[in-house]
Amino acid sequence: MTLFGVVCLLPAVYMLVESFVASDGTLTLVNYTRLLSEARQRELLLNTITLGVAASAIASAIGIPLGFLLARLKLPIVALLRIGLLVPLAIPPYVLALVWAFATDYSAVTYSLTGGAIVLGIGFFPLSMLASEAGFRGIDASLEQAGLVIATPRRVFFSITLPLVWPFVSAAGLLVFALSVAEFGVPGLLRIRVFTTEVFTAFAALYDFGRATALAVPLLVITLIAAMIARWIAGERLLATSAGWRPAVWCPHTVLKAAVILWVLAVIAVVTAVPIAVLIANAKHVIANIILSWSAIRTSIVLSTLGATCIVMVGVVLGYGRGRMRSRAHILADLFLIAAFAVPSTVMGVGMIGLWNRPAIPIELYASRLAILMAYMARFLPVAVLIIAASVRQTPRALEEAAEISGAPWARTFARIVIPQIRPSIVGAWIAVFIFTFGELGTTLLVTPPGESTLPVRVYTLIANSHEGEIATLALLQVVATVIPICIFVLGFGRVKDA
Amino acid sequence: MSTDAFVRVINIRKQLGDRVVLNDFSLELNKGEFVALLGRSGSGKTTILRLLAGLETPDAGEIWIAGSLVSKDGRNYVPPRLRGIGFVFQDLALWPHMTIHQSVDFVLAASSIPKLERGKRINDVLTTARIPDLGQRYPHQLSGGERQRAALARALAPAPRVLLLDEPMSSLDADLKSELVSELQTLHRTFALTTMYVTHDVAEISRLADRAIQMSSGVLPPR
């Protein structure tokens, strides 16, 4: 827990504290009076909230109906459709922004809030879809049938189904809002002025640390409030689904069913096939460009693999602890985990530099690759903990108690009983973290030492002064590298399940 | 087969997946009769209740309720809400986001009962179910027996013509079960409801039912 506190939470706390400290070390409100006196801050706030709300609305509008269909439609190809619809989650948002720029030919609509909201809505709709699917699937069929014996299907849907699904849908909406507000790559590429880009500019271009910390505070507050409300609404459902239910099934007539399947396939084409096709169409001199950027590609592969492995190792221990918490402390633990995940990438980056780049630290953290690994740990350890904790909660405690009674020590019980039960979630957490780290841009851009570069950082720095053929090639490589582990996971675990 | 029966199930066939649950099954219930259905798990007891309620469609055969053809040969002619059915599910299916008062109000509103009248009806039905003071509670705030009564109150509220009970007491202890059986007996006498009751418990049947039907693999044995 100390490691989690120091790595994940301390940079954000440091930013908050530093925003009240003047350059001579005295307490001051000057950063805030500067912020409040500037009219452009109100524009920043408006842009940030508009982007978050619009992205969340688009993600919900696409994700909720798809979630309903995946949960209720009885089709042999549902699993395949789900994989197709999850692909956007594996594509880093900045790559989607690049696709958007290529597709709209760098016109006025490319560099607009609308464009940013569409890109983020498409990038994050799978979260809304998965949450809605879990919500619709979690409703016991008899709850709706008890309504159907007395009321119309429409009335049952609005009075029973929707209120029961609402916590899932609204929590996902808030999560998408928080992630969109915290996102740096998309507004950075599409030149949308929001808090994350301003924090980056204040620190990296203007070297104004005080301004960067003060700009980070409203951003932190917005994202944290959204994440906290999501936790409050969804409660324990974030980590567990009810057991012993019978899922409801939707059986439309043949024509409607065909129309629905065609619509889902059209969505898959737009959100998956089109982005990949646009990148392929724009990619040029593939081999030559890969060789040119090989160092960055290799660094990304090595650091993401190492990072995901370290994060999951720590995540297993913390996830088990969270999953088995009995006291009310679990609410506090969730709040910290969600708060840490919601810290925007540029805020985390500036906080890490301010905190760790000092002579008193014995290790040369800031000037080494260790800084990138720390950044990955700071941003994505909460993801691994939440995924593994959810799995631990689904595993009956009686399994461990039976081992304890038979005299097995805790370590042996953990290794032989707990780990095999939660193995799919460990693999899932590793893949999720690998995908996130492989696409991480905001924090890495700030903490990467001189002479080093990861693939996203290389793409971002090439955008200003390189041919789009090279950028498209590297973005395509980014997509391929993140989709491959998903396919291995799905095929590998699918075979285990079938066996 | 008599044409005077209140509920008539004629030569029903129902297949769920690969398994034929009911095959050429027939049954009659007279008005006000209390019939118990007995049988092993998978013998089709619950399926019959769901077919009567319109939650499933028979692959073949006919279902008549109060002289109206409601289902025939793969089609439901009357939707569940218009059949006049009260249903107590095995897991009770109490809506977790509504208080008991709100649940009963929901079914009364669906029956187009005016708002002014609903308040009194809710009090009456909660009193009948012996939970007059628990209307403002959510299901998770009730004990097992109270939840049972709440489910019964919700089923009785719109004054159904037929009451279907799917093993509603399977999860209760013996004392509570005995108490609720007595109450169910009183309710049946008071309202003279045509009732079909699925159970495994022979003691319950002897106290409650006018007639018991033993089911085996979905085929009704000769009486």
Side-chain angles (χ1 to χ4, degrees), chain B residues 4 23 49 53-54 58 73 87 169 180 195 197-198 212:
Chain B
D4 298 333
N23 194 15
L49 297 197
D73 298 342
F87 202 125
M169 297 182 204
L180 282 168
T195 305
Y197 184 91
V198 165

Side-chain angles (χ1 to χ4, degrees), chain A residues 140-153 155-156 159-161 163-164 244 246, chain B residues 50 53 55 80-82 85 87 89 91 93-98 106-107 109-111 154 158:
Chain A
D140 192 307
S142 65
L143 292 176
E144 287 170 347
Q145 287 162 357
L148 284 171
V149 295
I150 194 73
T152 60
R155 198 180 170 89
V156 169
S159 297
I160 294 168
T161 312
L164 291 172
R246 289 155 298 168
Chain B
R50 293 173 64 80
L55 298 172
R81 64 181 186 281
L82 300 179
I85 297 283
F87 202 125
F89 289 78
D91 60 1
L94 291 169
W95 299 310
H97 62 298
M98 292 186 195
F106 174 82
V107 297
S111 307
R154 185 181 67 182

Side-chain angles (χ1 to χ4, degrees), chain B residues 177-192:
Chain B
K177 205 183 270 190
S178 172
E179 187 185 324
L180 282 168
V181 165
S182 301
E183 285 169 21
L184 207 54
Q185 217 169 9
T186 312
L187 281 173
H188 180 244
R189 281 192 202 121
T190 311
F191 295 103

